[in-house]
Structure formats: structure tokens, C-alpha cells
Amino acid sequence: MAYVAVGFHGSPLPRTMITNKRVPGARRATLRCTMAQPAARSKALDPNNTGLGPVDFNLNEYMAAKARRVNEALDHAVPLRHPAKIHESMRYSLLAGGKRVRPVLALASCDLVGGDEAAAMPVACAAEMIHTMSLIHDDLPCMDDDDLRRGQPTNHRAFGEDTAILAGDALLSLAFEHVAARTTGVAPERVVRALAELGSAVGSDGLVGGQIVDIASEGLAVDLNVLEYIHIHKTARLLEAAAVCGAIVGGGEDGEVERVRRYARCVGLLFQVVDDILDVTKTSEELGKTAGKDLATDKATYPKLMGLDKARDFARTLVVKAEEELSGFDEARAAPLYHLAHYIAHRQN
């Protein structure tokens, strides 16, 4: 069943760019998010203003604890073995740090619907493996040609282009193997749904689709709908899949899974909007990657198309939309996702 995607700014995306088909068990939400919403509903992007959510929740401690467990699981998932060079390359990028936002989304969404963290750890690791693959490939000379990632030389600079490509390929295949082989205590049909969700997120209807439209749009005067297509698919879709997979393996009902999906879609686009803002307001040292690259290459970004102030307003609107999807869930279980949305909005790198 084909459908037309609707952008956050309310206009259908060009049919020539949409060939999406529904994947069983991987339904997508259609969202509308317009700049015409009353400004009074949007909270300021101020790290000291975290809205009306639970005040006794410490996000830093939560993120640190989850990240430690994710890092341990990733370390065990990719041991250093023969052939040594490919596994060194995989581990170099996979264990290089980072915020682990996607794995944390998976674990928090599992907990939101009353699931056990252990059930979601394989999909959490898989989401990070896929994300790392995308970073390795995105940094290649034939793509964005970057030299710095997470404060260290990019994978192809450290190991060569051939090994970097293969390391990304190996991480992608391992992601699906890991979910299939390591997920325990979850009904098989839910594991299959999670695999379908991840596959949809990374393929031509997801990350690859966003990347190819991004490449095709270089040097062209694109509008907000095209920009949103790129980022919903290239960035938001994997964040969405991580959260949705966590809810699926955690035993969430269909309605709960779809609310998690809508929340994550807003958070995923928020991540990119903030990324665009940081690219023009921070230094390379502050970001841990090359700053100002989008501006130097005349790439379409939210600040470029909307202006910096309106891009910040749009980020606020996305936070409000994400909050709305969490209403109705148990407040304590929703606290990590609530505060994670604000963390993404306030992040400085």
C-alpha cells in the first residue's frame, strides 16, 4: 500500500521522491508540525528550563548508567579477533564514545511500555552499529569527505578507505545478526517486527533514501519540504526505529508503539535541527567534528532556509510535540524520554 509522506510543515513531499511502501510491522506515522503554532506553547531552549516534567529525575546519571551498559554490550558484541584489521576498524568507530542516544531511546522505550531492559539491549546495540556504519560511510571522500569524528580521525583516515567501507558493511550485517541471535525472552513475531523496522530504517525508504536525495540536492535551491524529506529519512528514521524497536520487544501494544513512533519522529528531526544550529554557532573543538562545513559547501540547512531564530523556534515546537505524545504514559516511566527530548534540544555538541 503506497502512501504520500507529509512533511512537518504540512505540504506533501514531491511524488517523484516518494516510493515508500508499508513494511509489515513497521508502520510509519504521518505527522504535521507547523510553524503557525502559538509561540506560547513552546518552552525556551534554555538548559535550566526543562518544562513541567518530573523534577526529581537526573538525566545525566540515567544517560551515564545506560551508556555504560550499552558500551559493555557493544564491547562483547565485537571482540577483537581474526581478521584483526577489520575488527580493529569496527571497534575503533563503534567504541569511540558518543552520546548513545539511539540505544538509550531503545532502552527507555522498552521501559516505557513495561518491558525488561535485557530484552531491548540487542536492538539497542544494533541501532548503534547501524548508526556507526552510517558515520563511517558518510565521512568517506566520495560522500562528505570528513577528517574528524567524535574528536578523532575518521575511520578511513585511520585505516584506509577500503577497510572503512568493509567495516561499515560488517557492522550493518552484524546489527541484524545480533538482534536475531541475541534477543531472548521475546516472542518471535516481535523479533521479526523489530528486524523489519530496522531494515526499513536503513534502506532506500530510510537512511539510504535520505542520503541519496541529499547528494542529489547539492548545489540546488531546495525548499523546506525537500530538506525535511532528507533529514526525516537520513537522521530521524533511525532514531525512530530505535525507539519503536524498544517498544516492540518490550511488549508494547500497537497504540503505545505508534505514540512512541510519533514521539521519536519529532525527536529525530529535532536532533537534526539542533545539529544544523550548532554547525553555525560552535567551533570544531566544541563539536568534536568539523564545524561550519555545511556553510562552506553551501548546503541546505534549517538556519539557511529559515534563519537562525526561526530554526530555534521550530526546535521548540518539536519539543512540545514530542512531549504531547508522552502524555498518558506513566510519568515515572516517561521521565527519561521527556528529559531526553530536552537534552537533545539543549545539547552543545
Side-chain angles (χ1 to χ4, degrees):
M1 177 178 176
Y3 71 99
V4 177
V6 177
F8 278 80
H9 287 83
S11 301
L13 298 175
R15 283 187 178 274
T16 55
M17 296 171 62
I18 307 293
T19 56
N20 297 347
K21 296 182 179 178
R22 291 194 184 276
V23 177
R27 293 164 293 174
R28 295 193 188 86
T30 298
L31 299 177
R32 289 179 182 269
C33 187
T34 69
M35 289 304 300
Q37 289 181 311
R41 298 185 63 195
S42 298
K43 300 176 179 68
L45 287 181
D46 177 356
N48 297 316
N49 178 6
T50 55
L52 302 176
V55 295
D56 59 348
F57 181 79
N58 190 315
L59 181 65
N60 288 335
E61 290 182 2
Y62 178 88
M63 293 285 289
K66 295 294 186 184
R68 279 195 300 272
R69 293 198 284 275
V70 168
N71 288 335
E72 290 172 1
L74 290 171
D75 186 33
H76 292 148
V78 188
L80 187 57
R81 61 185 188 274
H82 181 76
K85 186 174 183 181
I86 191 64
H87 291 102
E88 287 173 359
S89 179
M90 293 165 67
R91 289 171 59 86
Y92 176 83
S93 293
L94 186 63
L95 303 178
K99 304 171 189 69
R100 305 305 191 202
V101 170
R102 290 153 191 82
V104 171
L105 273 171
L107 300 179
S109 297
C110 178
D111 185 60
L112 179 71
V113 298
D116 181 6
E117 178 181 295
M121 188 59 78
V123 295
C125 290
E128 191 66 13
M129 291 174 189
I130 292 170
H131 175 55
T132 302
M133 173 279 297
S134 73
L135 299 181
I136 294 173
H137 286 179
D138 203 41
D139 290 335
L140 289 167
C142 63
M143 302 291 273
D144 279 357
D145 193 14
D146 241 321
D147 296 327
L148 190 65
R149 174 68 68 178
R150 290 174 173 170
Q152 66 182 22
T154 48
N155 196 289
H156 68 276
R157 291 298 181 192
F159 293 90
E161 291 180 40
D162 49 0
T163 300
I165 292 170
L166 293 173
D169 293 345
L171 285 168
L172 178 60
S173 61
L174 178 60
F176 293 93
E177 176 189 347
H178 193 71
V179 173
R182 299 295 181 89
T183 306
T184 59
V186 177
E189 59 269 23
R190 287 187 175 270
V191 178
V192 172
R193 282 180 65 188
L195 288 168
E197 184 72 36
L198 286 172
S200 175
V202 75
S204 59
D205 288 342
L207 191 155
V208 170
Q211 183 71 56
I212 197 69
V213 175
D214 190 20
I215 293 171
S217 300
E218 289 181 2
L220 302 179
V222 303
D223 62 18
L224 278 173
N225 288 321
V226 174
L227 184 64
E228 285 179 359
Y229 179 92
I230 292 169
H231 292 316
I232 285 172
H233 290 75
K234 183 179 176 181
T235 302
R237 187 66 185 89
L238 184 56
L239 280 154
E240 176 187 326
V244 167
C245 286
I248 289 172
V249 300
E253 297 178 357
D254 288 349
E256 293 175 323
V257 171
E258 289 310 303
R259 285 163 65 192
V260 167
R261 184 188 299 284
R262 291 191 295 268
Y263 160 87
R265 178 70 62 93
C266 288
V267 167
L269 188 54
L270 172 66
F271 194 94
Q272 185 60 53
V273 174
V274 173
D275 216 46
D276 285 356
I277 292 170
L278 292 175
D279 187 68
V280 297
T281 59
K282 298 294 181 179
T283 66
S284 297
E285 290 73 21
E286 290 171 316
L287 294 179
K289 63 179 181 179
T290 307
K293 192 170 179 63
D294 293 340
L295 184 64
T297 57
D298 198 29
K299 193 172 183 179
T301 65
Y302 283 96
K304 179 182 177 181
L305 296 188
M306 303 174 72
L308 188 58
D309 288 341
K310 286 188 176 180
R312 285 172 169 153
D313 287 341
F314 185 39
R316 295 184 187 103
T317 300
L318 290 168
V319 173
V320 172
K321 281 290 190 183
E323 290 173 0
E324 289 173 354
E325 296 300 336
L326 297 177
S327 62
F329 284 106
D330 177 79
E331 187 178 88
R333 290 188 181 278
L337 292 174
Y338 176 94
H339 288 279
L340 186 59
H342 283 272
Y343 165 78
I344 290 172
H346 305 144
R347 66 192 177 93
Q348 299 299 306
N349 55 43

